[in-house]
Coordinates of all heavy atoms in Angstrom, one line a residue:
M1 N 169.5 238.4 262.7 CA 169.6 239.8 262.3 C 169.5 240.7 263.5 O 168.6 240.5 264.4 CB 168.5 240.1 261.4 CG 168.8 239.9 259.9 SD 167.5 240.6 258.8 CE 166.5 239.1 258.7
A2 N 170.3 241.7 263.6 CA 170.2 242.7 264.6 C 169.6 244.0 264.0 O 169.9 244.3 262.9 CB 171.6 243.0 265.1
T3 N 168.8 244.6 264.8 CA 168.2 245.9 264.4 C 168.6 246.9 265.4 O 168.5 246.7 266.6 CB 166.6 245.7 264.4 OG1 166.2 244.7 263.5 CG2 166.0 247.0 264.0
I4 N 169.1 248.0 264.8 CA 169.5 249.1 265.7 C 168.7 250.3 265.2 O 168.7 250.7 264.1 CB 171.0 249.4 265.5 CG1 171.8 248.2 265.9 CG2 171.4 250.7 266.2 CD1 173.3 248.3 265.5
A5 N 168.0 251.0 266.2 CA 167.2 252.2 265.9 C 167.8 253.3 266.8 O 168.1 253.1 268.0 CB 165.7 251.9 266.3
D6 N 167.8 254.4 266.2 CA 168.4 255.6 266.9 C 167.5 256.8 266.7 O 167.2 257.1 265.6 CB 169.8 255.9 266.3 CG 170.7 256.7 267.2 OD1 170.3 257.1 268.4 OD2 171.8 256.9 266.9
P7 N 167.0 257.3 267.9 CA 166.1 258.5 267.7 C 167.0 259.7 267.3 O 168.1 259.9 267.7 CB 165.6 258.7 269.1 CG 166.5 258.0 270.0 CD 167.1 256.9 269.3
I8 N 166.4 260.6 266.5 CA 167.0 261.9 266.2 C 166.7 262.8 267.3 O 165.6 263.0 267.7 CB 166.4 262.4 264.8 CG1 166.8 261.4 263.7 CG2 166.9 263.8 264.6 CD1 166.2 261.7 262.4
P9 N 167.7 263.3 267.9 CA 167.6 264.2 269.1 C 166.6 265.3 268.9 O 166.6 266.0 267.9 CB 169.0 264.7 269.5 CG 169.9 263.7 268.8 CD 169.2 263.3 267.6
E10 N 165.8 265.6 270.0 CA 164.9 266.8 269.9 C 165.8 268.0 269.7 O 166.9 268.1 270.2 CB 164.1 266.9 271.2 CG 163.0 265.8 271.2 CD 162.0 266.1 272.3 OE1 161.7 267.3 272.5 OE2 161.5 265.2 272.9
G11 N 165.2 269.0 269.0 CA 166.0 270.2 268.8 C 167.0 270.1 267.7 O 167.8 271.0 267.5
T12 N 166.9 269.0 266.9 CA 167.8 268.8 265.8 C 167.0 268.3 264.6 O 165.9 267.9 264.7 CB 169.0 267.8 266.1 OG1 168.4 266.5 266.2 CG2 169.7 268.2 267.3
V13 N 167.6 268.4 263.4 CA 167.0 267.9 262.2 C 168.1 267.0 261.5 O 169.2 267.4 261.4 CB 166.6 269.1 261.2 CG1 166.2 268.6 259.9 CG2 165.6 269.9 261.9
Y14 N 167.6 265.9 261.0 CA 168.5 265.0 260.2 C 169.1 265.7 259.0 O 168.4 266.4 258.3 CB 167.8 263.7 259.8 CG 168.5 262.9 258.8 CD1 169.6 262.1 259.3 CD2 168.2 262.8 257.5 CE1 170.3 261.3 258.4 CE2 168.9 262.0 256.6 CZ 170.0 261.3 257.0 OH 170.7 260.5 256.2
F15 N 170.5 265.5 258.9 CA 171.2 266.1 257.7 C 171.1 265.1 256.6 O 171.7 264.0 256.7 CB 172.6 266.4 258.1 CG 173.3 267.2 257.1 CD1 173.2 268.6 257.0 CD2 174.1 266.6 256.1 CE1 173.9 269.4 256.1 CE2 174.8 267.3 255.1 CZ 174.6 268.7 255.1
P16 N 170.4 265.4 255.5 CA 170.2 264.5 254.4 C 171.4 263.9 253.9 O 172.5 264.5 253.7 CB 169.5 265.4 253.3 CG 168.9 266.5 254.0 CD 169.8 266.8 255.2
G17 N 171.4 262.5 253.7 CA 172.5 261.8 253.1 C 173.6 261.5 254.0 O 174.6 260.9 253.6
S18 N 173.4 261.8 255.3 CA 174.6 261.6 256.3 C 174.5 260.3 257.0 O 175.5 259.9 257.7 CB 174.6 262.7 257.3 OG 173.5 262.7 258.2
A19 N 173.5 259.5 256.9 CA 173.4 258.2 257.6 C 174.3 257.2 257.0 O 174.4 257.1 255.7 CB 172.0 257.7 257.7
S20 N 175.0 256.4 257.8 CA 175.9 255.4 257.3 C 175.1 254.4 256.4 O 174.0 254.1 256.7 CB 176.4 254.5 258.5 OG 177.2 255.3 259.4
T21 N 175.8 254.0 255.4 CA 175.2 253.0 254.5 C 175.9 251.7 254.4 O 175.6 250.9 253.6 CB 175.0 253.6 253.0 OG1 176.3 254.0 252.6 CG2 174.1 254.8 253.0
D22 N 176.9 251.6 255.2 CA 177.7 250.3 255.2 C 177.5 249.7 256.6 O 177.8 250.4 257.6 CB 179.1 250.6 254.9 CG 180.0 249.4 254.8 OD1 179.4 248.3 254.4 OD2 181.2 249.4 255.0
P23 N 177.0 248.6 256.8 CA 176.8 247.5 255.8 C 175.4 247.5 255.1 O 175.2 246.7 254.2 CB 176.9 246.2 256.7 CG 176.4 246.6 258.0 CD 176.8 248.1 258.1
V24 N 174.4 248.3 255.6 CA 173.1 248.3 255.0 C 172.6 249.7 254.8 O 173.1 250.6 255.5 CB 172.1 247.5 255.8 CG1 172.5 246.0 255.9 CG2 172.0 248.0 257.2
M25 N 171.5 249.8 254.0 CA 170.9 251.1 253.9 C 170.0 251.4 255.1 O 169.3 250.5 255.6 CB 170.0 251.1 252.6 CG 170.8 251.0 251.3 SD 172.0 252.3 251.0 CE 170.9 253.7 250.8
P26 N 170.0 252.7 255.5 CA 169.2 253.0 256.7 C 167.7 253.2 256.2 O 167.4 253.5 255.1 CB 169.8 254.4 257.1 CG 170.3 254.9 255.9 CD 170.9 253.8 255.1
R27 N 166.8 253.0 257.2 CA 165.4 253.3 257.0 C 165.1 254.4 258.0 O 165.7 254.5 259.0 CB 164.6 252.0 257.3 CG 165.0 250.9 256.4 CD 164.1 249.7 256.4 NE 163.6 249.3 257.7 CZ 162.6 248.5 257.9 NH1 161.9 248.0 256.9 NH2 162.2 248.2 259.1
F28 N 164.0 255.1 257.7 CA 163.6 256.3 258.5 C 162.2 256.2 258.9 O 161.3 255.7 258.3 CB 163.8 257.6 257.6 CG 165.2 257.7 257.2 CD1 165.7 257.2 256.0 CD2 166.1 258.5 258.0 CE1 167.0 257.3 255.6 CE2 167.4 258.6 257.5 CZ 167.9 258.0 256.4
S29 N 161.9 256.8 260.1 CA 160.6 256.8 260.7 C 160.2 258.3 260.8 O 161.0 259.2 261.1 CB 160.6 256.2 262.1 OG 159.3 256.4 262.7
I30 N 158.9 258.5 260.6 CA 158.3 259.9 260.8 C 157.2 259.8 261.8 O 156.5 260.8 262.1 CB 157.8 260.5 259.5 CG1 156.7 259.6 258.8 CG2 158.9 260.7 258.5 CD1 156.0 260.3 257.7
D31 N 157.1 258.6 262.5 CA 156.0 258.4 263.4 C 156.5 258.0 264.8 O 155.9 257.2 265.5 CB 154.9 257.5 262.9 CG 155.5 256.1 262.7 OD1 156.7 255.8 263.0 OD2 154.7 255.3 262.2
G32 N 157.7 258.5 265.2 CA 158.2 258.1 266.5 C 158.8 256.7 266.6 O 158.9 256.2 267.7
G33 N 159.1 256.1 265.5 CA 159.7 254.8 265.5 C 158.7 253.6 265.4 O 159.1 252.5 265.6
K34 N 157.5 253.9 265.1 CA 156.5 252.9 265.0 C 156.6 252.1 263.6 O 156.4 250.9 263.5 CB 155.1 253.4 265.1 CG 154.8 253.9 266.5 CD 153.4 254.6 266.5 CE 153.2 255.3 267.8 NZ 152.1 256.2 267.8
G35 N 157.0 252.9 262.6 CA 157.1 252.3 261.2 C 158.4 252.9 260.6 O 158.7 254.1 260.9
Y36 N 159.0 252.2 259.7 CA 160.2 252.6 259.0 C 160.1 252.4 257.5 O 159.5 251.4 257.1 CB 161.4 251.9 259.5 CG 161.8 252.2 260.9 CD1 161.2 251.6 262.0 CD2 162.7 253.3 261.2 CE1 161.6 251.9 263.3 CE2 163.0 253.6 262.5 CZ 162.5 252.9 263.5 OH 162.8 253.3 264.8
S37 N 160.7 253.3 256.7 CA 160.7 253.2 255.3 C 162.1 253.6 254.7 O 162.7 254.5 255.3 CB 159.7 254.1 254.6 OG 158.4 253.7 255.0
F38 N 162.5 253.1 253.6 CA 163.6 253.6 252.9 C 163.3 254.9 252.3 O 162.1 255.2 252.0 CB 164.1 252.6 251.8 CG 164.6 251.3 252.3 CD1 163.9 250.1 252.2 CD2 165.9 251.3 252.9 CE1 164.4 248.9 252.7 CE2 166.4 250.1 253.4 CZ 165.6 248.9 253.3
E39 N 164.3 255.7 252.0 CA 164.0 257.0 251.3 C 163.6 256.8 249.9 O 164.2 255.8 249.3 CB 165.2 257.9 251.4 CG 165.4 258.5 252.8 CD 166.5 259.5 252.9 OE1 167.7 259.1 252.6 OE2 166.2 260.6 253.2
P40 N 162.8 257.5 249.3 CA 162.0 258.6 249.9 C 160.9 258.1 250.8 O 160.2 257.2 250.3 CB 161.5 259.4 248.7 CG 161.4 258.4 247.6 CD 162.5 257.4 247.8
V41 N 160.7 258.6 251.9 CA 159.7 258.2 252.9 C 158.4 258.9 252.4 O 158.4 260.1 252.2 CB 160.0 258.6 254.3 CG1 158.9 258.3 255.3 CG2 161.3 258.0 254.7
R42 N 157.4 258.1 252.2 CA 156.1 258.7 251.8 C 155.0 258.5 252.8 O 155.1 257.5 253.6 CB 155.7 258.0 250.5 CG 156.7 258.1 249.4 CD 156.1 257.8 248.0 NE 157.1 257.8 247.0 CZ 157.7 258.8 246.4 NH1 157.3 260.0 246.8 NH2 158.5 258.7 245.4
Y43 N 154.1 259.4 252.8 CA 152.9 259.3 253.8 C 151.7 259.8 253.1 O 151.8 260.5 252.0 CB 153.2 260.0 255.1 CG 153.3 261.5 254.9 CD1 152.3 262.4 255.2 CD2 154.5 262.1 254.4 CE1 152.4 263.7 255.0 CE2 154.7 263.4 254.3 CZ 153.6 264.3 254.6 OH 153.7 265.6 254.4
T44 N 150.5 259.5 253.6 CA 149.3 260.1 253.0 C 148.7 261.1 254.0 O 148.8 261.0 255.2 CB 148.2 259.0 252.7 OG1 148.0 258.3 253.9 CG2 148.7 258.0 251.7
E45 N 148.1 262.1 253.3 CA 147.4 263.2 254.1 C 146.1 263.5 253.4 O 146.0 263.4 252.2 CB 148.4 264.4 254.1 CG 148.0 265.5 254.9 CD 149.0 266.6 254.9 OE1 149.9 266.5 255.8 OE2 149.0 267.5 254.0
T46 N 145.1 263.9 254.2 CA 143.8 264.3 253.7 C 143.8 265.7 253.4 O 144.1 266.6 254.2 CB 142.7 263.9 254.6 OG1 142.8 262.5 255.0 CG2 141.3 264.2 254.0
N47 N 143.5 266.1 252.1 CA 143.5 267.5 251.7 C 142.2 268.2 252.1 O 141.3 267.5 252.6 CB 143.9 267.7 250.3 CG 142.9 267.1 249.3 OD1 141.7 266.8 249.7 ND2 143.3 267.0 248.1
S48 N 142.0 269.4 251.8 CA 140.8 270.2 252.2 C 139.6 269.7 251.5 O 138.5 269.9 251.9 CB 141.0 271.7 251.9 OG 141.3 271.9 250.5
S49 N 139.7 268.9 250.4 CA 138.6 268.4 249.6 C 138.2 267.0 250.2 O 137.3 266.4 249.7 CB 138.9 268.2 248.1 OG 139.3 269.5 247.6
G50 N 139.0 266.5 251.2 CA 138.7 265.2 251.7 C 139.4 264.0 251.0 O 139.2 262.9 251.3
D51 N 140.2 264.3 250.0 CA 140.9 263.3 249.2 C 142.2 263.0 249.9 O 142.9 263.9 250.4 CB 141.2 263.8 247.8 CG 139.9 264.1 247.0 OD1 139.0 263.3 247.2 OD2 139.9 265.1 246.3
E52 N 142.6 261.8 249.9 CA 143.9 261.4 250.4 C 145.0 261.6 249.3 O 144.8 261.1 248.2 CB 143.9 259.9 250.9 CG 143.2 259.8 252.2 CD 143.6 258.5 252.9 OE1 144.4 257.7 252.4 OE2 143.0 258.2 254.0
V53 N 146.0 262.3 249.7 CA 147.1 262.5 248.7 C 148.4 262.0 249.3 O 148.6 262.0 250.5 CB 147.2 264.0 248.4 CG1 146.0 264.5 247.6 CG2 147.4 264.8 249.6
E54 N 149.2 261.4 248.4 CA 150.5 260.9 248.9 C 151.6 262.0 248.8 O 151.6 262.8 247.9 CB 151.0 259.7 248.0 CG 152.3 259.1 248.5 CD 152.7 257.9 247.8 OE1 153.2 258.0 246.6 OE2 152.4 256.8 248.2
K55 N 152.3 262.2 249.9 CA 153.4 263.2 250.0 C 154.7 262.5 250.3 O 154.7 261.4 250.8 CB 153.0 264.2 251.0 CG 151.8 265.0 250.6 CD 151.6 266.2 251.6 CE 150.5 267.1 251.1 NZ 150.6 268.4 251.8
T56 N 155.8 263.2 250.1 CA 157.1 262.8 250.4 C 157.6 263.5 251.7 O 157.5 264.8 251.7 CB 158.1 263.0 249.3 OG1 157.6 262.3 248.1 CG2 159.5 262.5 249.6
A57 N 158.0 262.8 252.7 CA 158.4 263.4 253.9 C 159.8 264.1 253.7 O 160.6 263.7 252.9 CB 158.6 262.3 255.0
T58 N 160.0 265.2 254.4 CA 161.2 265.9 254.4 C 162.0 265.5 255.6 O 161.5 265.1 256.6 CB 160.9 267.5 254.4 OG1 160.1 267.8 255.5 CG2 160.2 267.9 253.1
P59 N 163.4 265.7 255.5 CA 164.2 265.3 256.6 C 163.8 265.8 258.0 O 164.1 265.2 259.0 CB 165.6 265.7 256.2 CG 165.6 265.6 254.7 CD 164.2 266.1 254.4
D60 N 163.2 267.0 258.0 CA 162.9 267.6 259.3 C 161.7 266.8 259.9 O 161.4 267.0 261.1 CB 162.5 269.1 259.1 CG 161.3 269.3 258.2 OD1 161.4 268.9 257.1 OD2 160.4 270.0 258.6
M61 N 161.1 265.9 259.2 CA 160.0 265.1 259.7 C 160.5 263.8 260.3 O 159.7 263.1 261.0 CB 159.0 264.8 258.6 CG 158.3 266.1 258.1 SD 157.3 265.7 256.6 CE 155.9 264.9 257.3
Y62 N 161.7 263.4 260.0 CA 162.3 262.2 260.5 C 162.4 262.2 262.0 O 162.9 263.2 262.6 CB 163.6 261.9 259.9 CG 163.6 261.7 258.4 CD1 164.8 261.6 257.7 CD2 162.5 261.6 257.7 CE1 164.9 261.4 256.4 CE2 162.5 261.4 256.3 CZ 163.7 261.3 255.6 OH 163.7 261.1 254.3
T63 N 162.0 261.1 262.7 CA 162.1 261.0 264.1 C 163.1 260.0 264.6 O 163.7 260.1 265.6 CB 160.8 260.6 264.8 OG1 160.3 259.4 264.3 CG2 159.7 261.7 264.5
H64 N 163.4 259.0 263.7 CA 164.3 257.9 264.0 C 165.0 257.4 262.8 O 164.4 257.5 261.7 CB 163.5 256.7 264.7 CG 163.0 256.9 266.0 ND1 161.9 257.7 266.2 CD2 163.4 256.4 267.2 CE1 161.7 257.7 267.5 NE2 162.5 257.0 268.1
I65 N 166.1 256.7 263.0 CA 166.8 256.0 261.9 C 167.0 254.6 262.4 O 167.3 254.4 263.5 CB 168.2 256.7 261.6 CG1 168.0 258.2 261.2 CG2 168.9 255.9 260.5 CD1 169.3 258.9 260.9
Q66 N 166.9 253.7 261.4 CA 167.0 252.2 261.8 C 167.9 251.6 260.8 O 167.8 251.8 259.6 CB 165.6 251.6 261.7 CG 165.7 250.1 262.0 CD 164.3 249.4 261.7 OE1 163.9 249.4 260.6 NE2 163.7 249.0 262.8
W67 N 168.8 250.7 261.3 CA 169.6 249.9 260.4 C 169.3 248.4 260.8 O 169.2 248.1 262.0 CB 171.1 250.1 260.7 CG 171.6 251.5 260.3 CD1 172.1 251.8 259.1 CD2 171.7 252.6 261.1 NE1 172.5 253.1 259.1 CE2 172.2 253.7 260.3 CE3 171.3 252.9 262.4 CZ2 172.5 255.0 260.8 CZ3 171.5 254.2 262.9 CH2 172.1 255.2 262.1
I68 N 169.2 247.5 259.8 CA 169.0 246.1 260.0 C 170.3 245.4 259.5 O 170.6 245.5 258.3 CB 167.8 245.5 259.3 CG1 166.5 246.2 259.9 CG2 167.7 244.0 259.5 CD1 165.3 245.8 259.1
L69 N 171.0 244.8 260.5 CA 172.3 244.2 260.1 C 172.0 242.7 259.7 O 171.5 242.0 260.6 CB 173.3 244.2 261.3 CG 173.5 245.6 261.8 CD1 174.4 245.6 263.0 CD2 174.1 246.5 260.8
K70 N 172.3 242.4 258.5 CA 172.0 241.0 258.0 C 173.0 240.0 258.5 O 172.7 238.8 258.7 CB 171.9 241.0 256.5 CG 170.7 241.8 256.1 CD 170.6 241.8 254.6 CE 169.4 242.7 254.2 NZ 169.2 242.8 252.8
D71 N 174.2 240.4 258.7 CA 175.3 239.5 259.1 C 175.5 239.8 260.6 O 175.5 240.9 261.1 CB 176.6 239.8 258.4 CG 176.4 239.5 256.9 OD1 175.7 238.5 256.5 OD2 177.0 240.2 256.1
P72 N 175.8 238.7 261.4 CA 176.0 238.9 262.8 C 177.3 239.6 263.1 O 178.3 239.5 262.3 CB 176.0 237.4 263.3 CG 176.3 236.6 262.2 CD 175.8 237.3 261.0
I73 N 177.4 240.3 264.2 CA 178.6 240.9 264.6 C 179.4 239.8 265.5 O 178.8 239.3 266.5 CB 178.4 242.1 265.5 CG1 177.6 243.2 264.6 CG2 179.7 242.7 266.0 CD1 177.1 244.3 265.4
P74 N 180.6 239.5 265.1 CA 181.3 238.4 265.8 C 181.6 238.9 267.3 O 181.7 240.1 267.5 CB 182.5 238.2 265.0 CG 182.7 239.4 264.2 CD 181.4 240.0 264.0
A75 N 181.8 238.0 268.2 CA 182.2 238.3 269.5 C 183.5 239.1 269.5 O 184.4 238.8 268.7 CB 182.4 237.0 270.3
G76 N 183.5 240.2 270.2 CA 184.6 241.1 270.2 C 184.7 242.1 269.0 O 185.5 242.9 268.9
G77 N 183.7 241.9 268.1 CA 183.7 242.8 266.9 C 183.1 244.1 267.2 O 182.5 244.3 268.3
S78 N 183.2 245.0 266.3 CA 182.6 246.4 266.5 C 182.3 247.0 265.1 O 182.7 246.4 264.1 CB 183.6 247.3 267.2 OG 184.8 247.5 266.5
G79 N 181.7 248.1 265.1 CA 181.3 248.8 263.9 C 180.8 250.1 264.2 O 180.7 250.5 265.4
V80 N 180.6 250.9 263.2 CA 180.1 252.3 263.4 C 178.9 252.6 262.6 O 179.0 252.3 261.4 CB 181.2 253.3 263.1 CG1 180.7 254.7 263.2 CG2 182.4 253.1 264.0
L81 N 177.9 253.0 263.1 CA 176.7 253.5 262.4 C 176.5 255.0 262.9 O 176.5 255.3 264.1 CB 175.4 252.7 262.8 CG 175.5 251.3 262.3 CD1 174.3 250.5 262.9 CD2 175.5 251.1 260.8
E82 N 176.4 255.9 261.9 CA 176.4 257.3 262.3 C 175.5 258.1 261.4 O 175.2 257.7 260.3 CB 177.8 257.9 262.4 CG 178.5 257.9 261.1 CD 179.9 258.3 261.2 OE1 180.4 258.7 262.3 OE2 180.6 258.3 260.1
F83 N 175.1 259.2 261.9 CA 174.4 260.2 261.1 C 174.6 261.6 261.6 O 175.1 261.7 262.8 CB 172.9 259.9 261.0 CG 172.1 260.0 262.3 CD1 171.5 261.2 262.7 CD2 172.1 258.9 263.2 CE1 170.8 261.2 263.9 CE2 171.4 259.0 264.4 CZ 170.8 260.1 264.8
K84 N 174.4 262.6 260.8 CA 174.6 264.0 261.2 C 173.3 264.7 261.4 O 172.3 264.3 260.7 CB 175.5 264.7 260.2 CG 176.9 264.2 260.2 CD 177.7 265.0 259.1 CE 179.1 264.3 259.0 NZ 179.9 265.0 258.0
V85 N 173.3 265.7 262.3 CA 172.1 266.5 262.5 C 172.5 267.9 262.4 O 173.6 268.3 262.6 CB 171.3 266.2 263.8 CG1 170.8 264.8 263.8 CG2 172.2 266.4 265.0
R86 N 171.5 268.8 262.2 CA 171.6 270.2 262.3 C 170.9 270.7 263.5 O 169.7 270.3 263.7 CB 171.1 270.9 261.0 CG 171.2 272.4 261.0 CD 170.7 273.0 259.6 NE 169.5 272.4 259.1 CZ 168.3 272.9 259.3 NH1 168.1 273.9 260.1 NH2 167.2 272.3 258.8
V87 N 171.5 271.4 264.3 CA 170.9 272.0 265.5 C 170.0 273.1 265.2 O 170.4 274.0 264.4 CB 171.9 272.4 266.6 CG1 171.3 273.0 267.8 CG2 172.9 271.2 266.9
L88 N 168.8 273.1 265.7 CA 167.8 274.2 265.4 C 168.1 275.4 266.3 O 168.6 275.3 267.3 CB 166.4 273.7 265.6 CG 166.0 272.5 264.7 CD1 164.6 272.1 265.1 CD2 166.0 272.9 263.2

């Protein structure tokens, strides 16, 4: 399996739904590429009462996109993985 991770450039925001989904679904990171999740990306935050609450990350929180290719790319083969961003 090959894993391809691509940082979302600084000064941009991921455009929702624009990541390539062929051959696999993309996963997203909100922590600089340390961990990845399928959408919706969830995280926990401590509220003012000290309780941990689960929240859903928004695309502006995404730092990286990752694709895991289950099938090998043959010698001389190629493919395209892409996503769109909005410039801030």
Side-chain angles (χ1 to χ4, degrees):
M1 268 190 271
T3 301
I4 299 169
D6 202 356
I8 296 172
E10 286 195 36
T12 68
V13 174
Y14 171 71
F15 190 83
S18 68
S20 300
T21 58
D22 185 28
V24 295
M25 296 298 294
R27 300 187 323 160
F28 299 88
S29 176
I30 60 171
D31 63 2
K34 294 176 188 164
Y36 290 88
S37 300
F38 292 108
E39 288 186 298
V41 178
R42 301 196 189 283
Y43 66 99
T44 57
E45 186 174 270
T46 304
N47 66 16
S48 59
S49 302
D51 298 321
E52 285 197 2
V53 292
E54 185 175 79
K55 294 190 171 193
T56 301
T58 55
D60 62 305
M61 298 170 73
Y62 296 173
T63 61
H64 291 71
I65 300 176
Q66 178 190 66
W67 294 269
I68 299 174
L69 306 176
K70 295 180 181 178
D71 297 323
I73 299 171
S78 65
V80 175
L81 296 172
E82 61 186 359
F83 63 95
K84 295 179 182 176
V85 296
R86 179 173 44 91
V87 178
L88 299 176

